[in-house]
Amino acid sequence: MRVDLQLDSPNSSDVFVDNVQLSSEESKEYIDKAVNYFNNDSFWIVAPYKVFDPGTTRSLIPLEHNRQGLLISYSSGGSTPGDSYMWLLDEDYKPTAFKMWVSILPLNGLEASWSDWTTTETGLKLPEFHKLLFLGLDITDIKTAF
């Protein structure tokens, strides 16, 4: 199965199963799933660049040891509006981890790291590793273009 996802107009995306294009009626479920995958996967990579998206609020929250966290809440957009994330920042205000308060998780404040930052060929700084509980998530072969 392949979905050629058109983010600006998902309903105009093309869906192929065994190299046969599905009708728009047959495609809806696959397109919805592809949009959800895109929203989830892109968060793990580019969330710091989406803090000013519509429906996003930001609040500085005092933490222990004279540090601050950045509480990011999404009231609209994406696949799970209502989710919130407390970003933990280093001394240069770069995110090092985030705690999730999301509807799909039974635990509140579940922490995942952002680490192994790399600078892409276009100058974008992106994380290449996340640790969540005992799992590690490598993000490899990142490529960016203008």
Side-chain angles (χ1 to χ4, degrees), residues 50-61 70-76 82-87:
K50 299 178 66 53
V51 296
F52 293 102
D53 282 1
T56 305
T57 59
R58 299 150 307 279
S59 304
L60 287 174
I61 306 296
L70 182 62
L71 181 64
I72 305 292
S73 298
Y74 300 96
S75 63
S76 64
D83 288 354
S84 294
Y85 302 84
M86 171 68 75
W87 293 8

Side-chain angles (χ1 to χ4, degrees), residues 113-126:
S113 71
W114 274 331
S115 63
D116 299 352
W117 290 80
T118 188
T119 302
T120 68
E121 60 276 4
T122 59
L124 202 60
K125 294 179 191 274
L126 297 172

Side-chain angles (χ1 to χ4, degrees), residues 21-40:
Q21 187 170 359
L22 300 183
S23 70
S24 59
E25 175 111 356
E26 297 170 309
S27 297
K28 182 168 178 16
E29 180 180 336
Y30 294 105
I31 292 169
D32 290 346
K33 190 178 232 181
V35 167
N36 286 333
Y37 282 151
F38 175 81
N39 288 338
N40 180 69

